[in-house]
C-alpha cells in the first residue's frame, strides 16, 4: 500500500455534517485537496457559495469542492468517515466497488462499533479518531464552532505493519492545518471514554433540548449520569477495557465544564427532525448488557425515551 | 358531626384546575351551591363570565361563584380538595383556622400521600376520591372534557363511625349531578392502582409531550412502563397493598386504550411552565424505595428527567 505524500493527497469527507465540515474545512483552509460528499442540496450550497466557518478563532468562507457522487471516491487517498453511525454500513457498501485499495479510512464517528462494521465491508486500513469538538450546522453551508477541536487517532484493532507511518502522515496533515492531532497507543480506551461521555450526555441533552452545563445543575441528573456511568463500566470491564470510576467521572466532569453551552448531536438531530445515533450510544450499552447478562436500567430508560421522541418525527 | 342535607350544602372546590372545574362544574350545573377557590385572575374570570364546560356530552356556560378568599370556607359543608399534591400542606395550613369542624373533605388528588398529609393538619373527616377523567383547562374559564369522569370514594384509613353515611351523601350529590360515584370498600387499593397508572404514564407523557396512545406505539416505552410497574409492585407489596402484575398491566392497558389522545397533567404542567406533581408520583416511589431498601432505577430515571425539565421553567 502506497500512501501519497501530503501535498497531493486526495481527501474525501464522507458525511458533511458539523464534524465533517469542521475537520474537512480546516484541511481545505490549509490548501489541501478536499472534496465534501453530501446530499445534493448541501453539495450544491457548498460548491456554489463555499463553506462558511464561523469558528472561535476566525470567521471565513472557504471555497470547497462538494459532490453527491460517490464514484468520485475512486481517486481517494484519505477518507474522513463522518456519516452517522447508523449510515456506516450502507455508505461503505455503496462505495466498496469504487474505493481504491490505497485509500486510508479515518472514522471520526461516535460509538465503538464503526471500525468493526467498516472492516467487515472494506479491506482498507481503517483507523479511529476520537473527536472532541463542539460544533453545529446552520443551514447547508455554515458550520458554527463553539469550542475544542482536537483529535486522538490510532488503530483500535491489532496493529498492522504500516500503521505508524499512516498515522503519522494523518497527524502531520491535521497539524499543519491547525488541528491538534495525537497518536494514541490506547485508542480503544480513548474511544470508550468518548463513548462514555456520549452515553452520559447525548440522550439527556436530547430529551431536554438542554445544554451540558444546564443539565448538570439538576441534582437528579448528576445522579442519573453516575448510574448510567456505573452500568457502562460494568460493560467495559467485560469488554476488556480498563476505565476506573474516578476516570469515568472525571471524563464526564470535563465535558460538563469545557462544553457548558453545547447541546448534544442527539439534541440537534431531534430538533431538526432527524434520526439520532442513540442505538449506537445508550442503545449499544443495552445491547451489550443483554449479551453479557448485565442489567442496564438507566441506559435502557434514556434510550427508550429518545426512541419515543424519534418516533414522533414525521 | 352534623352533615347538612344535600339541598343546602355549601360546597367549596379548593383548587380550580381541570379536575376541580369538571366535578365542581357538574355539581354547579345541577344547582348545587358551589364556590370555586382559585387564584385571583381565574376567580375573576369565573365570576365574571362563568365556567365554560366543553364536555363530550354537552357544551354549556355555567354561572358560578368563585373567590380567592380562603376565609369564605368558614361555612363549608363539603370541600373538594383538588389542589396539586405539592400544595396540600400549605393550603390546609392556610384554611385550618377557618374550616368548621362539620366540614367533610374529599381529596380528588393524585398520589397516595394527601390523606395522611391532610389528617396531620386538620381533624375533619377526610375521604379519598379516585378520579378517572381526561380534561384540561384552556385559559381561565374553559374546561375541556375529553372523556370519562367517574369517582370511586372511600376512607383509606381505618373506618370511623359516620363514614358510611358521609360517603353515601357524597355519592348521592354526585349521582344527581350525572357523575357516576361508587363507594369502594377497597379504596386504598384503588388509590394505589390509580397511582400506578400515574407513575406509568405521567412522566413519560410529560417528557415527550406525547399522548398515551402515541406513547405505547413505541416498543421501548411499553417495556419501560412494564419495568416502572414492576418496581411499583415491589413497593406495594411492602406497603401491604395487594396488586398482581396482571392487574397492574391491565390497569395500564385500560388507560392507554380509554385515554388515547390524552396527555398527562405532568405534560400539561410542563407545557404551561408550571411545577408538576412528579415528586408525589415517581418521586414518591423512589422515596419509598429508599425507605424499604428497594432499587427503583426506572422510576428514578423518569423522575430525574421531569425534574430537569421543571428546572428549565423560568
Amino acid at each position: 500500500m502506497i500512501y501519497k505524500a501530503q501535498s497531493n493527497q486526495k481527501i474525501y469527507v464522507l458525511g458533511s455534517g458539523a464534524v465533517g465540515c469542521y475537520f474537512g474545512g480546516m484541511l481545505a483552509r490549509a490548501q489541501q485537496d478536499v472534496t465534501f460528499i453530501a446530499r445534493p442540496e448541501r453539495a450544491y450550497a457548498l460548491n456554489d457559495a463555499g463553506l462558511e466557518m464561523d469558528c472561535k478563532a476566525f470567521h471565513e468562507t472557504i471555497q470547497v469542492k462538494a459532490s453527491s457522487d460517490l464514484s468520485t471516491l475512486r481517486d481517494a487517498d484519505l477518507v474522513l468517515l463522518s456519516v452517522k453511525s447508523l449510515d456506516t454500513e450502507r455508505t461503505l457498501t455503496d462505495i466498496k466497488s469504487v474505493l481504491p485499495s490505497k485509500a486510508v479510512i479515518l472514522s471520526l464517528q461516535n460509538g465503538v462499533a464503526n471500525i468493526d462494521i467498516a472492516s467487515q465491508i472494506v479491506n482498507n486500513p481503517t483507523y479511529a479518531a476520537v473527536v472532541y469538538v463542539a460544533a453545529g450546522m446552520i443551514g447547508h453551508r455554515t458550520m458554527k464552532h463553539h469550542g475544542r477541536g482536537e483529535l486522538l487517532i490510532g488503530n483500535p484493532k491489532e496493529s498492522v505493519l504500516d500503521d505508524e507511518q499512516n498515522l503519522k502522515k494523518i497527524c502531520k496533515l491535521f497539524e499543519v492545518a491547525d488541528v491538534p492531532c495525537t497518536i494514541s497507543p490506547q485508542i480503544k480506551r480513548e474511544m470508550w471514554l468518548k463513548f462514555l461521555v456520549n452515553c452520559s450526555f447525548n440522550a439527556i441533552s436530547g430529551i431536554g433540548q438542554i445544554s451540558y452545563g444546564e443539565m448538570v445543575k439538576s441534582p437528579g441528573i448528576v445522579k442519573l449520569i453516575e448510574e448510567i456511568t456505573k452500568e457502562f463500566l460494568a460493560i467495559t470491564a467485560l469488554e476488556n477495557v480498563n476505565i476506573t470510576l474516578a476516570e469515568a467521572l472525571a471524563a464526564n466532569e470535563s465535558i460538563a465544564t469545557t462544553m457548558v453551552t453545547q447541546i448534544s448531536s442527539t439534541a440537534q438531530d431531534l430538533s431538526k427532525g432527524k434520526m439520532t445515533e442513540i442505538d449506537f450510544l445508550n442503545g449499544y450499552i443495552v445491547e451489550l448488557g443483554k449479551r453479557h447478562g448485565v442489567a442496564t436500567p438507566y441506559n435502557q430508560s434514556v434510550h427508550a425515551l429518545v426512541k419515543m421522541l424519534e418516533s414522533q418525527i414525521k
Side-chain angles (χ1 to χ4, degrees), chain A:
Chain A
M1 170 188 44
I2 296 153
Y3 195 74
K4 284 194 183 174
Q6 181 191 320
S7 53
N8 58 350
Q9 283 191 73
K10 295 212 174 288
I11 303 166
Y12 286 83
V13 175
L14 192 49
S16 301
V19 167
C21 283
Y22 180 76
F23 292 100
M26 291 300 282
L27 294 177
R29 183 173 176 253
Q31 315 300 329
Q32 297 294 337
D33 182 349
V34 180
T35 304
F36 293 81
I37 302 293
R39 295 210 175 80
E41 219 177 347
R42 178 158 298 183
Y44 178 83
L46 289 171
N47 264 324
D48 188 51
L51 170 65
E52 185 183 356
M53 298 186 77
D54 182 0
C55 294
K56 286 198 91 168
F58 61 90
H59 191 154
E60 290 173 19
T61 294
I62 319 289
Q63 294 311 312
V64 296
K65 292 187 286 184
S67 175
S68 291
D69 179 4
L70 291 174
S71 73
T72 60
L73 273 93
R74 76 174 68 83
D75 63 358
D77 295 298
L78 174 63
V79 176
L80 303 185
L81 184 59
S82 46
V83 295
K84 288 228 166 67
S85 298
L86 56 165
D87 293 326
T88 301
E89 186 174 350
R90 186 179 51 75
T91 305
L92 288 177
T93 304
D94 286 349
I95 65 167
K96 182 180 175 165
S97 63
V98 298
L99 194 70
S101 60
K102 64 172 181 178
V104 168
I105 299 172
L106 181 70
S107 160
L108 288 83
Q109 300 163 287
N110 284 330
V112 292
N114 288 296
I115 302 291
D116 282 343
I117 293 170
S119 301
Q120 283 162 21
I121 302 168
V122 295
N123 293 318
N124 301 63
T126 303
Y127 304 108
V130 174
V131 177
Y132 288 99
V133 67
M137 292 302 287
I138 302 165
H140 281 308
R141 51 170 290 273
T142 302
M143 189 282 309
K144 171 88 181 146
H145 173 234
H146 301 282
R148 299 187 68 171
E150 69 275 17
L151 298 175
L152 288 171
I153 67 172
N155 183 356
K157 314 227 286 186
E158 274 155 46
S159 273
V160 293
L161 200 62
D162 284 336
D163 274 358
E164 201 176 329
Q165 207 186 340
N166 279 338
L167 291 169
K168 277 186 180 165
K169 282 185 179 167
I170 294 173
C171 262
K172 194 165 171 209
L173 200 58
F174 279 112
E175 278 170 356
V176 297
D178 281 339
V179 174
C181 184
T182 311
I183 297 172
S184 170
Q186 298 189 71
I187 194 72
K188 187 176 173 188
R189 191 171 175 282
E190 297 293 348
M191 290 172 78
W192 280 81
L193 268 172
K194 168 81 190 296
F195 181 29
L196 165 70
V197 300
N198 283 139
C199 288
S200 295
F201 287 88
N202 276 48
I204 300 171
S205 170
I207 289 165
Q209 290 293 323
I210 186 174
S211 72
Y212 301 157
E214 278 297 310
M215 265 171 65
V216 298
K217 286 184 189 168
S218 198
I221 294 301
V222 173
K223 183 79 184 146
L224 179 55
I225 289 174
E226 192 176 320
E227 298 293 351
I228 285 171
T229 300
K230 285 179 182 169
E231 289 176 1
F232 186 96
L233 294 181
I235 302 292
T236 56
L238 294 162
E239 293 278 325
N240 299 315
V241 179
N242 178 32
I243 301 172
T244 67
L245 181 59
E247 287 171 321
L249 296 179
N252 286 337
E253 174 73 19
S254 153
I255 293 300
T257 52
T258 64
M259 297 191 176
V260 177
T261 61
Q262 179 76 2
I263 64 165
S264 67
S265 56
T266 306
Q268 293 176 48
D269 288 338
L270 288 172
S271 78
K272 289 177 181 170
K274 290 183 187 171
M275 294 293 282
T276 75
E277 292 189 302
I278 204 68
D279 287 343
F280 290 83
L281 304 177
N282 305 88
Y284 195 61
I285 289 297
V286 173
E287 206 46 50
L288 291 175
K290 281 181 192 161
R291 214 177 289 172
H292 290 297
V294 172
T296 56
Y298 295 98
N299 281 279
Q300 188 190 336
S301 296
V302 297
H303 176 247
L305 290 166
V306 173
K307 294 303 281 183
M308 176 183 78
L309 296 174
E310 253 186 10
S311 77
Q312 295 299 294
I313 295 169
K314 302 299 170 207

